Amino acid sequence: MELLDKLNLKLGYFPAVDDAILELMDPLYEAIEYYRVEDISKYCGMGLRVLGKVKNYVYYSELYDLLLATKEYFEEAKIISLSKMERFRNEYTLFDEKYHSLFKIMVFYRGQAEAHNDPKLFETIVEEFQLLSSSSVMENILGLNYCIIFKKYITFRDKVNALENELEYRKNYVRLLDLYAYIIFAYIKIENQSNEEYLKKADNLISENPIPNAKIMYFYSNVAAALHEIKLYKEALAYYERMVEVTEHNKLWIPALICMAHCQRMLELEVHIPFVEEEKQSSYSKLIQLAYKYFVAKSVKPFAKSNFILKEIAPNLVENVMITIFRDEMNLIANEMNAYKGIYLFDEIIKNNRNDN
């Protein structure tokens, strides 16, 4: 009880509240599956109004946080904090099974944002939640992201074939575009070239159906990311630019902007990426915040850039894409300064990082 007092929480059981929230879950899941943001906001809002009366009670306070996190993610692309992610992971099994998928979705999006910084955490989350063996279409789609990152291509192929047929049958065109993005991404990574068949399918889907801009952004950023990874920087930049055209700046995904800046640097162009407000930046890991800060900074001397990478960024690098981005930066800076010691120091830091992991 002393802990509850510190948290300003009370004990209580409210069957009418439980019934009301459980009744909202099926329509909420359908709205999420079809990416109907207005309906997601509506059902979350209804739940929050009911839970607002009991949010100072144990159990109900967590449900309130869950619905609020869901509303904020789909309205503002705001992901939960790492501390909230751990809380949701540890506590979701204490709740009615009807809520489990929503907890998993919110934890997944946070874990996905950490994949650049902590790929092991992301892998653990997907395996822990058994997303690839789920009967939920939504959970299976999320699991495809894991398949690509960890090169589970046989599982990916099997899941894709089943999902494409199901999504076409159900006329779920928004999630079908998500699926096309994963297929194109995987094809580029495996074959080192784009998949013209699915790029055309995706263009047709976008032109013929009312796809929300957020999902078009997601499609463009995924295609760009795959092209960026195989060093097709000109082609990748074209897709990053399309991504920026259809998206409000504060809803852009910062890791994509970092890759966009890298493309511009490798093409010997001036770095020009949108500015994202501090509050949105703070929802990302320390590494992503530092990398973004590096690329939006103007008129910084090469020596200061090199020092910033070596002291602030390099000690946090463990993921290959980010290592490549900043090793390329060190090369560009070294050529500019005609001094190459920084590259050696960078490589030594990365070697130590890998030994520690």
Side-chain angles (χ1 to χ4, degrees), residues 108 111-112 115 118-126 145 149-150:
F108 174 89
Q112 183 184 43
D118 190 351
K120 185 63 181 174
L121 171 65
F122 185 47
E123 182 178 26
T124 301
I125 286 168
V126 173
N145 184 276
I149 290 174
F150 292 98

Side-chain angles (χ1 to χ4, degrees), residues 124-327:
T124 301
I125 286 168
V126 173
E127 292 178 351
E128 185 180 289
F129 287 164
Q130 299 181 319
L131 294 181
L132 292 168
S133 58
S134 170
S135 59
S136 161
V137 169
M138 187 64 207
E139 289 181 22
N140 271 269
I141 290 172
L142 296 180
L144 294 179
N145 184 276
Y146 158 83
C147 288
I148 292 172
I149 290 174
F150 292 98
K151 299 181 179 178
K152 311 281 188 183
Y153 294 128
I154 294 174
T155 304
F156 178 84
R157 181 196 61 199
D158 294 342
K159 289 292 178 185
V160 159
N161 290 340
L163 280 167
E164 186 170 9
N165 291 333
E166 183 167 359
L167 293 170
E168 285 176 348
Y169 174 76
R170 294 166 69 167
K171 294 183 171 56
N172 190 340
Y173 299 124
V174 173
R175 296 302 176 187
L176 191 57
L177 184 64
D178 284 346
L179 187 67
Y180 289 168
Y182 285 127
I183 292 170
I184 294 163
F185 192 100
Y187 190 89
I188 291 170
K189 284 178 73 75
I190 296 167
E191 302 293 338
N192 275 355
Q193 60 184 13
S194 58
N195 185 316
E196 295 303 322
E197 176 191 353
Y198 277 93
L199 282 171
K200 187 173 181 181
K201 279 187 175 186
D203 284 341
N204 290 340
L205 203 64
I206 290 168
S207 64
E208 294 170 5
N209 297 281
I211 309 287
N213 278 358
K215 300 311 289 183
I216 299 174
M217 176 205 76
Y218 183 79
F219 173 76
Y220 289 151
S221 66
N222 270 283
V223 174
L227 293 166
H228 170 261
E229 198 164 330
I230 61 169
K231 304 184 188 304
L232 293 176
Y233 298 122
K234 183 178 179 181
E235 294 84 348
L237 182 57
Y239 274 97
Y240 281 128
E241 288 170 344
R242 290 169 79 176
M243 171 194 79
V244 169
E245 283 174 12
V246 300
T247 313
E248 295 174 38
H249 287 184
N250 249 29
K251 292 185 178 179
L252 287 163
W253 197 46
I254 291 180
L257 296 179
I258 293 167
C259 293
M260 181 180 182
H262 180 233
C263 291
Q264 292 167 340
R265 287 282 281 161
M266 298 309 290
L267 294 168
E268 300 182 359
L269 301 171
E270 182 182 350
V271 171
H272 183 67
I273 57 175
F275 181 76
V276 176
E277 290 178 7
E278 293 283 343
E279 185 181 354
K280 180 67 184 291
Q281 292 180 43
S282 68
S283 69
Y284 287 87
S285 68
K286 178 185 176 184
L287 171 61
I288 296 300
Q289 291 181 58
L290 289 169
Y292 180 71
K293 179 180 178 182
Y294 174 87
F295 280 115
V296 295
K298 300 295 183 186
S299 304
V300 180
K301 299 289 185 185
F303 180 75
K305 284 184 175 182
S306 178
N307 267 356
F308 186 80
I309 292 172
L310 292 173
K311 291 181 179 179
E312 302 292 339
I313 294 176
N316 297 298
L317 292 174
V318 293
E319 194 268 336
N320 287 337
V321 171
M322 293 294 279
I323 290 171
T324 299
I325 288 172
F326 284 99
R327 196 178 195 287

Side-chain angles (χ1 to χ4, degrees), residues 43 50 61-62 114 180 331:
Y43 295 125
V50 173
S61 66
E62 204 73 345
E114 292 298 311
Y180 289 168
N331 276 326

